[in-house]
């Protein structure tokens, strides 16, 4: 995978520190078109979203959009160990402060895309800044507190995330996993704070199907829809074409 076509920025977020941001597409030309903001899962990297954007199924959307990929602290491929006392920021702080990225890049509104832990973060971002969001698409989302279920899939997931001979830093990933495990519940606030369209995508084999159903049940019928994808647990990497199709339809309204 060639990342040289992406422009790299570092934006310092309050309570979170410096965060790497990778822009895929021409922001100057597309600033007023569709801008997507992506947040990756724990045990994954922003490159999971880059690979999806490069999938053949994304050709049409890619031509007329720009993608802002957040590389969460310490989660890039080949990242060095963070200091021993370093703590990954809590989900609430990341969600609240991602707006600084939009302000820095002079982007008014985005369509949020989040996978796994990133789905929880992008949902929080939308809840904190509804006026900056056109809509949110999440994959394997959860709005409840942790039951610790994701730890068993984490090692498997990390094995598949490699690029240019580099892999994820396990120590840093474990700090992200710990912060995700300590997340607070947001399910009762969804209806109070969300006034934009939400599309929930879940892999039928994922442990988060019931969590996704719980979000769907909690939210106003007109705002929230749900797609379950057969035979997979990780739709973004296992069925990128289905995710592209869903995102395209969502953006067309």
């Amino acid at each position: 995978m060639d990342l040289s076509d992406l422009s790299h920025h570092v934006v310092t977020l309050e309570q979170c520190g410096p965060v790497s941001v990778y822009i895929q597409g021409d922001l100057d030309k597309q600033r007023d078109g569709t801008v997507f903001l992506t947040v990756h899962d724990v045990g994954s990297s922003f490159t999971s979203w880059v690979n999806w954007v490069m999938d053949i199924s994304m050709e049409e959307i890619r031509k007329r959009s720009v993608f802002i990929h957040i590389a969460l602290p310490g989660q890039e491929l080949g990242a060095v160990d963070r200091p021993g006392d370093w703590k990954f920021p809590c989900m609430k702080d990341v969600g609240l402060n991602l707006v600084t990225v939009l302000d820095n890049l002079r982007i008014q509104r985005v369509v949020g895309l989040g996978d796994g832990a990133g789905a929880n973060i992008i949902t929080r971002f939308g809840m904190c800044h509804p006026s900056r969001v056109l809509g949110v698409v999440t994959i394997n989302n959860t709005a409840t507190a942790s039951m610790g279920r994701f730890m068993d899939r984490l090692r498997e997931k990390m094995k598949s995330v490699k690029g240019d001979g580099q892999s994820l830093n396990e120590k840093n990933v474990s700090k992200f996993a710990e912060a995700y495990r300590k997340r607070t519940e947001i399910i009762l606030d969804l209806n109070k704070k969300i006034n934009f369209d939400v599309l929930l995508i879940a892999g039928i084999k994922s442990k988060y199907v019931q969590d996704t159903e719980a979000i769907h049940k909690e939210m106003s019928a007109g705002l929230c829809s749900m797609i379950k994808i057969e035979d997979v647990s990780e739709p973004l990497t296992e069925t990128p074409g289905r995710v592209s199709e869903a995102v395209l339809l969502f953006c067309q309204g």
Side-chain angles (χ1 to χ4, degrees):
M1 174 187 36
D2 184 13
L3 297 180
S4 60
D5 292 341
L6 278 62
S7 61
H8 177 217
H9 301 250
V10 176
V11 178
T12 299
L13 309 187
E14 203 174 321
Q15 296 164 306
C16 306
V19 169
S20 278
V21 178
Y22 292 87
I23 300 176
Q24 191 171 8
D26 189 331
L27 184 57
D28 291 326
K29 280 186 187 165
Q30 299 289 355
R31 197 182 299 279
D32 299 321
T34 306
V35 180
F36 292 93
L37 178 69
T38 78
V39 187
H40 62 82
D41 195 5
V42 63
S44 186
S45 152
F46 77 95
T47 53
S48 61
W49 283 110
V50 174
N51 290 338
W52 172 71
V53 175
M54 293 312 294
D55 190 78
I56 192 156
S57 62
M58 283 294 288
E59 200 171 350
E60 280 308 304
I61 303 178
R62 197 166 61 234
K63 280 180 195 165
R64 52 177 197 267
S65 310
V66 64
F67 295 82
I68 312 296
H69 301 294
I70 303 296
L72 292 167
Q75 310 304 306
E76 299 98 330
L77 293 173
V80 298
D81 283 0
R82 292 294 174 112
D85 58 354
W86 176 72
K87 271 200 171 103
F88 192 92
C90 67
M91 301 298 101
K92 182 181 171 188
D93 287 346
V94 183
L96 174 66
N97 291 296
L98 275 182
V99 71
T100 308
V101 174
L102 273 64
D103 293 342
N104 241 283
L105 298 173
R106 304 195 320 281
I107 297 166
Q108 198 47 46
R109 295 170 88 191
V110 294
V111 175
L113 302 174
D115 181 29
N120 183 272
I121 290 170
I122 206 77
T123 303
R124 290 173 187 271
F125 166 72
M127 290 166 73
C128 293
H129 306 284
S131 66
R132 307 297 292 273
V133 168
L134 292 162
V136 162
V137 180
T138 69
I139 301 171
N140 293 344
N141 198 359
T142 176
T144 51
S146 173
M147 293 189 261
R149 291 162 303 178
F150 69 95
M151 295 307 282
D152 46 359
R153 73 178 174 90
L154 191 54
R155 288 199 179 281
E156 280 308 305
K157 189 162 181 146
M158 283 178 69
K159 281 179 198 162
S160 64
V161 184
K162 295 245 184 316
D164 301 328
Q166 294 181 312
S167 53
L168 290 167
N169 181 311
E170 281 196 36
K171 282 186 184 170
N172 295 350
V173 172
S174 67
K175 298 275 182 93
F176 180 8
E178 181 65 11
Y180 184 46
R181 195 175 64 77
K182 290 180 173 171
R183 67 183 180 271
T184 53
E185 194 158 297
I186 52 173
I187 195 151
L188 297 177
D189 293 323
L190 294 172
N191 257 343
K192 297 175 201 162
K193 297 187 176 176
I194 289 181
N195 59 3
F196 47 83
D197 289 328
V198 175
L199 172 61
L200 306 166
I201 300 173
I204 287 282
K205 289 185 176 175
S206 160
K207 293 180 176 175
Y208 290 101
V209 175
Q210 287 174 320
D211 300 63
T212 301
E213 287 170 343
I215 294 171
H216 187 245
K217 200 171 164 185
E218 186 66 30
M219 286 190 62
S220 306
L223 283 181
C224 184
S225 49
M226 176 169 59
I227 294 173
K228 296 178 195 174
I229 299 181
E230 297 289 337
D231 300 326
V232 299
S233 55
E234 302 280 352
L236 186 63
T237 50
E238 292 178 75
T239 53
R242 291 292 307 276
V243 176
S244 307
E245 192 186 331
V247 169
L248 181 62
L249 290 171
F250 180 75
C251 291
Q252 287 171 344

